[in-house]
Amino acid sequence: MNKEQLPIVVPIAKIEDENEIVKNFYFDISIGAKPGQFVMLWMPGVDEKPISVALDDGKQLVLTICSRGKATQEMAKMKVGDKLGIRGPFGTHFLTNEGETLALVGGGYGAAPLYFVAYEAAKQGCKIEFIEGARSEKHLVYMEKLKALENTNIHISTDDGSVGHKGYNTEVLKKVLEDTKVDKIMTCGPEIMMQKVGEIGEEAGVNTFVSIERYMKCGFGVCGQCVVDPLGIRTCVSGPVMNYKVAKMFDDFGQYHRDSVGKKEYFNPK
Amino acid sequence: MANLQVKYLGTEFENPTVLASGVLGVTAATWKSVVNSGAGGITTKSIWLNEHQGHPNPTIITTENWMMNAVGLPDAGLEKAKEEIALYSENKPAPLIASIVAGKKDEFAVIAEEVDKLDVDILEVNISCPNVEDELGLPFACVALDAKSVTEDVKKVAKNKPVIIKLSPNVTNVVEIANACAEGGADGFCLINTLGPGLAINLETRMPILANKVGGISGPAIKPLAVKIVSDVYQATKLPIIGTGGITTGADALEIMMAGATLVGIGTAVFYRGADVFRKVSKEMSDWCDKEGVKSVEELIGTAKV
């Protein structure tokens, strides 16, 4: 890893609305990020947050950000030309090989890093079954960009049935696995959803890769904030992308994560 | 192969490397994984009586020569510490040093009395964090009278465990502070906490990079200062010392031991050399001892001809 961990400060080159609360921020740099890796994004005077990379094509870096917390709401107010700091890329990535058939299962804006997977995999001649779940049609992301990719079938599920399958994306995944011989499943989104995806993949005998999000401060394995029980491994270094077989050994997986002071926070409070 | 075992204040350590406070030490699972990576012992992140929020991000930046942090001592408080310490005690793999911290002088005795009852081997009293000054004022380790009175307070209530004081390099005369702590009954020292605070400014935004603006400096750049302070305090007090500050290699560890340290704290080097830095440093120490015909690393403590 690069021994200098100072942010590179660059202006926002372009901003694009993905939906009402999700925007794409473009930067005219490449940091050599691979699909599934993340950066630490410094919003001077606001905060610094781990953000997964939605695209790094060698010329531009794209970060897709959903405004849901204080920092990301500030981010949503940023304009072209505003300067932001970037450190990274950090962590493990999704690995694809030429000619594979992939099922990519995204929940909400978890679809963004999977778009990066699809973008790279399409160039490798992979066949892609892209399964995206959202609350409703207007919450979908990356639809136009996905349609432009080769060898990519798009499957949609919405909670309200406004478009596609009414219900969960995991139900769509089951159907896809019945119809298609899939080599790998990759998923990003709410952890409880990824847990279900992992179970389905395991049942079908398909290797499944999940993307684990934990509270992070440094991004380079020192602060100890992103560790999981009972192995004590650091998700910023050994993750975020992990085989489901590893993730399911965690006490935390689908259950809890730790907050900024290290206290457990359950996904479904008891 | 040279014997790396050392005894520190009555506790046996398999090797002199211990995880320094503040790095990685959030959960029992991590402590165990650090022992698996070769550490001879663990120091917890500093434990507060009640939950304490750290600083916002960015909190840690590095260059090849130094790291600067203003993590700000986040902790969930005593109850979580009890849980984690109990978890660690199941098949306890190595000694545990509990770092304790408080915002006011009279609060140290409260947290010390509680942690003294737990399955820890040594209490390390952190009176020297340089990046919480805005919140807490000048660290107690900067004034001899304060350092002494905190030591006395903690010693009064810590009936079961040895008490060591973690001192600051950011004073005119560390020996004066160390002597005051020794008079207050300190059993040993951890030397040194981070240097500074320092400031790093980003050119494009003309803003400090750390959200807290200033932070404590650690890493290779501060090692010579750590070695000097360990040497000075060892000569003055002869109390046993955990030497820490920029220790990255086996040679660094041997150097600070010759200056007077019994144990060697490693924190920032986890970044420079990976989580298995403890095993690497131990191997390098052992190789050097073998080459020089040193049978036990313990023989080296305080042998520098300073």
Side-chain angles (χ1 to χ4, degrees), chain B residues 112-120 160-161:
Chain B
E113 187 169 16
E114 291 294 332
V115 177
D116 182 60
K117 295 175 203 157
L118 307 179
D119 183 17
V120 302
N160 308 302
K161 309 287 152 62

Side-chain angles (χ1 to χ4, degrees), chain A residues 250-262:
Chain A
F250 304 160
D251 298 339
D252 323 34
F253 186 58
Q255 299 296 319
Y256 66 86
H257 64 121
R258 287 176 188 265
D259 66 8
S260 63
V261 295

